[in-house]
């Protein structure tokens, strides 16, 4: 096959189902740090990072070396058959990172959706009741239960039902669209009064910053109020840190901004630097609720991925990535705020740390989302050498998922490309 994007696109149409969407019509050939090159040799600044997976950058040498070393030892054994050191070592480190001095335990699995499903299983086993509360605009995966928990219809629900039972949705804070923290707590209490009693609820699950739902931060006030409310009723609190975790918000985990302690935390994406690995980290007594045999998976906690994850955690410590994350976030936020002041199409800038998004609207009206303009900007960014993607219930938010290792001069280059893209998209109206 001729190594061109067009040739691979033609083969893709013939061999891959249309339900698998690819945001950009390019095929990656190599990647390093914050840069990616397609099969035609064109260079892009990659502010997608495998959808928030490459927080430490593509092909970090420490991760490559760790995987190579582990490959020469054990590539797969299935932890349910024979244990291996890297699984246990990684579990211990995650327990300390999330639980601190409290007794926590970790289950390692493979995908984000798998982590979410296991967190729900664990919560129901512990509480012995079925109810789960999720939030509108939340995203928790594409499996049947993941799509049930996800708080918007297109494209994840389509005609895939019937969906899992005993899952309830309630509003998530969104000040730009008129939903305050107080509003969200009031609606949650209304749900207890009208749809399910709190003693029938096993857990509440939410993202500290909604990812695919539009980069909406829950906010310190709401997370603290929610933690107090769940503790009052004995309900477990599950924080889905799959996209917000591992430095994306400027702290190791998004919930840490609020100073709360969840009962269960789901992790994935950037955990293993590009290898498929996820986990559920939670209070020991909760994690021990399922009986032996109730948890696991053939590839769950694969040795190569565990070795990569240990290297990722080393990089965070040795290269002081949380400090770099905050500096990158400040640079990007300042640049985006300048763009918002210049272009009336930008309704708002929001997010935490370098997890930032631009919402595009018509006429400055929060309730007039402009998905077409958002897509036009994304396409123009690609033409300028910057890869970004969209999110939001109405797909009108452009999100930035720059590797935390991105040099600040490269961040400024990306902002310049973004500015030019908005100008060109405006000119094509």
């Amino acid at each position: 096959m001729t190594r061109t994007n067009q040739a691979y696109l033609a083969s893709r149409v013939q061999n891959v189902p249309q339900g698998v969407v690819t945001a950009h019509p390019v095929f990656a050939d190599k990647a390093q740090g914050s840069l990616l090159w397609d099969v035609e040799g064109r260079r892009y600044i990659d502010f997608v990072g495998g959808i928030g997976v490459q927080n430490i950058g593509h092909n970090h040498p420490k991760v490559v070396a760790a995987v190579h070393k582990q490959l020469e030892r054990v590539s797969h054994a299935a932890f349910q058959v024979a244990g291996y050191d890297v699984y246990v070592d990684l579990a211990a480190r995650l327990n300390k990172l999330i639980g601190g001095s409290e007794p926590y335990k970790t289950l390692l699995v493979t995908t984000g959706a798998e982590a979410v499903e296991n967190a729900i299983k664990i919560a129901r086993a512990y509480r012995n009741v079925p109810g789960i509360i999720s939030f509108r605009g939340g995203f928790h995966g594409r499996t049947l239960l993941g799509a049930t928990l996800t708080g918007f219809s297109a494209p994840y629900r389509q005609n895939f039902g019937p969906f899992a039972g005993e899952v309830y949705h309630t509003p998530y804070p969104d000040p730009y669209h008129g939903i305050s923290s107080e509003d969200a707590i009031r609606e949650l209490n209304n749900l207890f009064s009208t749809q399910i009693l709190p003693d029938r609820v096993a857990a509440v699950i939410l993202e500290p910053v909604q990812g695919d739902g539009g980069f909406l931060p829950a906010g310190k006030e709401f997370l603290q109020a929610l933690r107090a409310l769940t503790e009052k009723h004995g309900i477990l609190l599950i924080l889905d840190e799959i996209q917000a975790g591992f430095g994306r918000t400027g702290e190791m985990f998004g919930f840490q901004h609020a100073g709360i302690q969840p009962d269960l935390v789901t992790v994935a994406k950037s955990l293993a630097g590009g290898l498929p690995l996820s986990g559920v980290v939670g209070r020991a007594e909760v994690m021990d609720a399922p009986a032996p045999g109730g948890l696991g998976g053939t590839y769950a906690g694969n040795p190569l991925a565990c070795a990569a994850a240990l290297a990722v955690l080393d990089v965070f410590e040795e290269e002081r990535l949380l400090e770099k994350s905050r500096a990158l976030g400040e640079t990007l936020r300042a640049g985006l705020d300048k763009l918002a002041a210049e272009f009336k199409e930008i309704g708002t800038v929001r997010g935490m740390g370098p997890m930032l998004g631009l919402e595009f609207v018509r006429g400055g009206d929060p309730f007039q989302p402009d998905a077409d303009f958002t897509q036009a900007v994304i396409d123009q960014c690609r033409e300028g050498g910057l890869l970004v993607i969209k999110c939001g219930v109405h797909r009108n938010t452009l999100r930035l998922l720059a590797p935390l290792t991105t040099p600040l001069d490269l961040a400024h280059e990306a902002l310049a490309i973004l500015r030019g893209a908005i100008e060109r998209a405006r000119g094509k109206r």
Side-chain angles (χ1 to χ4, degrees):
M1 179 185 295
T2 305
R3 285 179 58 79
T4 65
N5 292 315
Q6 195 59 43
Y8 283 113
L9 283 170
S11 180
R12 180 200 192 287
V13 170
Q14 183 178 356
N15 294 294
V16 180
Q18 67 174 358
V20 182
V21 172
T22 302
H24 294 285
V26 299
F27 283 76
D29 183 55
K30 63 178 181 178
Q32 187 66 49
S34 302
L35 299 174
L36 179 148
W37 289 263
D38 69 15
V39 292
E40 298 174 9
R42 185 171 184 191
R43 165 196 180 268
Y44 300 90
I45 300 172
D46 183 6
F47 273 19
V48 183
I51 314 182
V53 168
Q54 302 292 4
N55 284 10
I56 69 164
H58 290 281
N59 288 0
H60 194 289
K62 287 187 177 294
V63 172
V64 173
V67 173
H68 183 85
K69 180 179 179 181
Q70 182 62 41
L71 184 62
E72 294 179 335
R73 297 176 61 218
V74 179
S75 64
H76 176 71
F79 195 73
Q80 296 96 298
V81 177
Y84 32 88
D85 54 355
V86 285
Y87 187 118
V88 178
D89 291 345
L90 178 58
R93 289 185 72 171
L94 290 173
N95 293 337
K96 186 174 181 181
L97 275 175
I98 291 175
S101 59
E102 297 182 37
Y104 269 55
K105 291 189 175 183
T106 290
L107 163 72
L108 295 175
V109 282
T110 310
T111 69
E114 194 179 359
V116 167
E117 295 226 3
N118 277 281
I120 300 303
K121 285 167 55 178
I122 292 165
R124 284 173 167 166
Y126 180 76
R127 286 274 287 158
N128 199 30
V129 293
I132 302 294
I133 295 173
S134 187
F135 289 85
R136 297 175 191 169
F139 177 76
H140 301 288
R142 288 180 171 87
T143 57
L144 185 64
L145 180 56
T148 306
L149 293 165
T150 292
F152 48 106
S153 52
Y156 303 114
R157 291 183 173 239
Q158 299 187 28
N159 58 345
F160 298 148
F163 293 98
E166 294 294 332
V167 173
Y168 304 84
H169 291 90
T170 190
Y172 185 93
D174 184 356
Y176 182 60
H177 294 95
I179 304 173
S180 67
S181 172
E182 294 84 355
D183 294 333
I185 291 294
R186 182 170 56 251
E187 288 300 319
L188 180 54
N189 280 312
N190 286 341
L191 188 148
F192 290 150
S193 300
T194 60
Q195 296 189 56
I196 184 170
L197 292 168
D199 63 7
R200 299 293 298 165
V201 177
V204 174
I205 183 170
L206 80 161
E207 301 161 275
V209 181
Q210 286 189 341
D212 204 43
F215 275 33
L216 294 167
K220 179 178 179 180
E221 178 185 354
F222 179 72
L223 287 175
Q224 290 178 345
L226 182 62
R227 175 72 281 192
L229 186 62
T230 53
E231 287 179 339
K232 173 184 175 182
H233 294 296
I235 298 169
L236 297 181
L237 181 61
I238 304 172
L239 263 293
D240 182 338
E241 292 274 358
I242 289 168
Q243 188 161 164
F246 298 100
R248 176 55 53 192
T249 66
E251 294 289 349
M252 199 63 172
F253 300 100
F255 72 83
Q256 293 172 332
H257 291 276
I260 64 167
Q261 190 62 36
D263 300 298
L264 297 169
V265 176
T266 58
V267 294
K269 286 196 181 287
S270 193
L271 169 60
L275 275 72
L277 184 67
S278 64
V280 184
V281 186
R283 290 197 289 120
E285 64 174 311
V286 177
M287 294 293 292
D288 279 336
L295 304 174
T298 301
Y299 294 103
N302 171 267
L304 300 178
C306 289
L310 288 167
V312 166
L313 297 181
D314 287 342
V315 170
F316 265 91
E317 294 177 3
E318 294 166 6
E319 299 186 15
R320 303 171 73 172
L321 282 198
L322 291 183
E323 292 181 22
K324 292 183 179 179
S325 172
R326 294 169 192 138
L328 178 62
E330 290 172 3
T331 296
L332 292 175
R333 184 63 187 242
L336 296 181
D337 285 342
K338 287 181 180 178
L339 292 178
E342 182 177 355
F343 295 101
K344 67 181 187 307
E345 290 87 352
I346 300 173
T348 189
V349 179
R350 60 168 171 262
M352 300 178 71
M355 187 175 182
L356 296 167
L358 295 174
E359 180 167 347
F360 291 99
V361 298
R362 298 184 186 91
D365 184 351
F367 299 99
Q368 292 292 322
D370 199 339
D372 290 341
F373 187 77
T374 306
Q375 185 59 53
V377 172
I378 290 169
D379 292 340
Q380 290 299 322
C381 280
R382 181 182 65 252
E383 292 304 310
L386 171 66
L387 298 180
V388 290
I389 56 173
K390 59 191 172 184
C391 62
V393 172
H394 302 289
R395 314 319 269 174
N396 67 314
T397 298
L398 183 152
R399 55 174 152 171
L400 303 183
L401 287 164
L404 309 182
T405 53
T406 301
L408 296 187
D409 60 344
L410 199 62
H412 285 295
E413 181 182 343
L415 288 167
I417 294 172
L418 176 56
R419 185 186 184 282
I422 298 172
E423 281 189 331
R424 290 191 298 276
R426 174 192 271 183
K428 289 179 179 292
R429 278 183 179 269

